[in-house]
Amino acid sequence: MTAGSSETPPPISELIERRFNRRSLLRGALSAGVLATTGCYAAPASGPVAAAAGPVAKPAAGKPAPVPNPAAPISGFQELPHTRTDGSGADPATHHLPYGFRTQVVMQWGDRLFPKAPAFDAAAQTPASQLQQFGYNNDFVAFLPLPRGSQNSDHGLLVVNHEYTNVELMFPGLGEDRTAMTPEQIDTEMAAHGMSVVEIRRVEKQGDYQWETVLDSKYNRRLSALETNFAIAGPVAGSERLKTTASPGREIVGTVNNCSGGVTPWGTVLSGEENIQEYFGGGPTEPDAAHREADNFGRLGIDNHPRYLWYKTKPLFNLTEEPHAPNCFGWVVEMDPFTPDSQPIKRTALGRMRHEGAATIVCPDGRLVVYLGDDEANQHLYKFVSRDACTPDDPAKNADLLNHGVLYTATLTGDGVVEWKPLVFGQGPLTAENGFTSQADVLIETRRAAQLLGATPMDRPEDVEVEPSTGEVFVLLTNNRNREETNEANPRPHNSHGHILEMNVPEVAGGFDHAALKYTWTVLLCGGAPSDKVKAPGDEVDGDYPGWYQGAEPAGWLSCPDNCTFDHNGRIWIATDGADKAAGFADGLYACDTHGPHKGQPRLFFTAPIGSEVCGPCFTPDGSTLFLAVQHPGEGSVFDNPTTHWPAGLPGGDVKPGPPKPAVIAIMVDQRDTPA
Ligand code: FEO
Ligand code: CA
Ligand code: CA
Ligand code: CA
């Protein structure tokens, strides 16, 4: 059903409450197969570009123009059906949203960040142009209100991670063959990695609101793998094991695979370096057993078989020329977007792993806790607890805060207990007997230290995020297809769909003690269809695991949870990555209650265009805009024959169809088509 039909849903503000009372009714409608024709979402017009453009109906004659309300809440909606990526359902080449919402492209790959930046030209990309343009494969998104420390929802800085590159979709004629890349193309892809900072402002135009970039902002900035110089700080700084030709382990050029992240209470952004193993090659043997770091590198997957061929032209990524360089990556980066000339810093006290996010929360005593996930099958959960109290309203006082503190890893046992164990040199097994000579050794080899401490091997920890009002910590475990040996917190063998754990933190005077050494845990939800009792061949266990929600609606389930955020009502918004492979439908964004009778029942709000995953969900403080990163649209196809042109045709996107472009979009209530 298209916008403007007589069968419009009730006002948005009522929808969410009514929905809960109508669940059984909806279930009946779904089983009768009438969802697609009864207006549960605005089915787009035909064709990927036209569909994406999805013209919004004008108010009917005689109907007064709607009064713009920039603070309209975004939480009420009717859930979408899963979009089959084989084209048997809704058009998979574009995204889909519930009725009453609209999207705008805020930033897409190649958009200019500076007044003198060249306009994007696919045929004339250079490292210099890419360094002045929005990078590739946006992942984490933060919105930091301006002025600093305010709660403004119409003006701020967007800080975005650019995790990796799909060169087959970036360069015309290249195809899948990285060995055919020119040195200039390699430099361009290095320039497309990193982070962007861009000032944005919400303006009213023709009775509606739009986000605009402020091109001449003093804040706009690119950090890249190509030329940004990072300081290395904390216990590992200056270690022999980080020494390169250019620096005695105190600086390094480049950041790679910046995945998820977090924002500190003083307004800096944390960014996790994730799949660093993809970047290093050229080692003397495969693997070089004689190399002192061979075991350490191998533990992170650095095996001399990189996806990227930078090592051929860049000594820093060549294991023969710079054998310590991999120890300069795999950290959490802190950058201050409000101080454009500030040097970003790799914070070694937070450990070295395949970092996903870095969610912060302040304890009642002022100490900062940072929750961290190490995103690989059977790796572990971590938290960092600062030694000192932080000072949110005086950023300069926190310059050293993330250099001093204790990193802990988690053991989750069957009685629902989480125990946090410190990674401190000299304590427990972290001694010379096990090859550690300093805290630097412990942090460089975080994974080995955690394993020695008996940390629980998890099903790929992605985001670990805190719902601040309840202190509950949610752990998104995306999947672990190869798991043979289960444990209580990871109960499914061959876990294709992932699950989400909830950790409950002890309440103390003034709040929640995130520095505590014992929590409790339960399962919030398990991915996969509620009816799916299918087990892998040979498995003894059926599909009925703790926390499995049996009453979900046919569409109300998800697969492969990855990133999340929370709305004003404490609802968790879950972005998925990998549903296509695991479940045969598009990735998306789901809202899910964390309390009450519908706890753990996800509802689909956004489906991503073909080939893409959804990342970095982020609300403005008033909850009226939801920023969302759509990463790698069209993945699996090539520039010259893409499966989608998304987001061309959308407001803010290119007018003409071109290569698919990763983009950060804003989702808002559709002011122009609010039901009367
Ligand atoms: Fe970059 Fe763990 O996702
Ligand atoms: Ca990703
Ligand atoms: Ca992720
Ligand atoms: Ca992922």
Side-chain angles (χ1 to χ4, degrees), residues 139 163 613 631:
D139 197 306
E163 187 183 24
E613 66 170 278
Q631 193 188 55

Side-chain angles (χ1 to χ4, degrees), residues 218-415:
K218 66 178 181 182
Y219 299 111
N220 291 2
R221 184 176 184 187
R222 274 300 318 280
L223 277 62
S224 75
L226 184 64
E227 61 167 36
T228 308
N229 195 30
F230 292 77
I232 298 173
V236 185
S239 162
E240 276 290 313
R241 296 177 68 180
L242 270 64
K243 196 173 170 187
T244 60
T245 305
S247 169
R250 297 193 177 274
E251 282 192 322
I252 190 79
V253 172
T255 187
V256 294
N257 220 262
N258 300 75
C259 186
S260 191
V263 177
T264 67
W266 55 95
T268 60
V269 172
L270 304 178
S271 174
E273 295 180 330
E274 192 190 24
N275 289 301
I276 64 165
Q277 77 282 1
E278 308 277 16
Y279 297 86
F280 298 95
T285 61
E286 304 182 4
D288 174 16
H291 194 300
R292 193 203 148 191
E293 299 286 357
D295 289 346
N296 163 35
F297 290 173
R299 221 170 280 120
L300 276 156
I302 298 165
D303 62 357
N304 223 9
H305 291 287
R307 166 190 171 103
Y308 302 89
L309 303 183
W310 302 356
Y311 73 90
K312 293 189 173 182
T313 52
K314 303 289 173 191
L316 193 61
F317 295 94
N318 188 299
L319 290 165
T320 301
E321 298 194 52
E322 293 285 3
H324 293 137
N327 284 341
C328 299
F329 294 86
W331 304 107
V332 167
V333 170
E334 183 183 16
M335 67 93 71
D336 181 357
F338 294 100
T339 313
D341 56 357
S342 60
Q343 186 182 30
I345 301 166
K346 298 197 181 185
R347 296 293 186 185
T348 62
L350 278 61
R352 178 165 168 270
M353 61 191 80
R354 292 194 197 170
H355 275 290
E356 177 77 15
T360 69
I361 186 87
V362 181
C363 294
D365 65 6
R367 285 182 294 167
L368 187 78
V369 172
V370 187
Y371 287 102
L372 305 156
D374 182 357
D375 182 6
E376 190 179 352
N378 303 315
Q379 290 302 325
H380 311 113
L381 296 178
Y382 298 88
K383 72 173 177 181
F384 170 82
V385 181
S386 70
R387 181 189 68 188
D388 305 320
C390 71
T391 315
D393 52 4
D394 189 350
K397 287 195 173 149
N398 309 295
D400 212 25
L401 194 97
L402 293 173
N403 291 340
H404 303 288
V406 175
L407 184 66
Y408 297 84
T409 189
T411 301
L412 290 81
T413 53
D415 49 0

Side-chain angles (χ1 to χ4, degrees), residues 433-622:
E433 215 164 67
N434 283 313
F436 299 104
T437 62
S438 65
Q439 184 63 17
D441 285 344
V442 170
L443 292 167
I444 291 168
E445 298 182 59
T446 298
R447 284 183 165 185
R448 187 164 75 90
Q451 199 174 8
L452 285 165
L453 288 165
T456 301
M458 309 294 290
D459 287 346
R460 286 189 58 199
E462 301 246 28
D463 265 358
V464 185
E465 299 276 342
V466 187
E467 202 290 286
S469 71
T470 61
E472 288 160 349
V473 182
F474 293 92
V475 181
L476 277 64
L477 300 155
T478 197
N479 60 52
N480 189 353
R481 288 183 188 89
N482 297 325
R483 179 180 283 285
E484 301 281 350
E485 197 176 316
T486 61
N487 57 58
E488 292 87 350
N490 301 272
R492 290 196 284 185
H494 308 283
N495 183 4
S496 298
H497 299 293
H499 57 295
I500 300 180
L501 298 184
E502 171 189 327
M503 299 196 295
N504 291 285
V505 177
E507 194 163 3
V508 292
F512 299 94
D513 184 14
H514 289 272
L517 300 184
K518 269 197 182 179
Y519 299 175
T520 58
W521 69 268
T522 57
V523 177
L524 174 71
L525 65 86
C526 286
S531 58
D532 184 7
K533 299 280 188 181
V534 177
K535 53 190 182 181
D539 286 344
E540 296 294 320
V541 198
D542 70 12
D544 194 8
Y545 300 104
W548 189 277
Y549 176 66
Q550 298 292 343
E553 291 159 11
W557 58 279
L558 56 72
S559 179
C560 303
D562 187 334
N563 298 143
C564 72
T565 191
F566 302 93
D567 66 20
H568 288 175
N569 298 318
R571 222 168 265 129
I572 185 171
W573 291 67
I574 303 157
T576 72
D577 170 19
D580 190 355
K581 186 175 173 192
F585 53 79
D587 280 314
L589 182 73
Y590 297 75
C592 179
D593 280 8
T594 55
H595 292 94
H598 301 287
K599 175 176 176 171
Q601 299 173 27
R603 291 182 297 128
L604 181 53
F605 177 76
F606 177 90
T607 59
I610 189 164
S612 68
E613 66 170 278
V614 186
C615 319
C618 166
F619 285 101
T620 49
D622 67 4

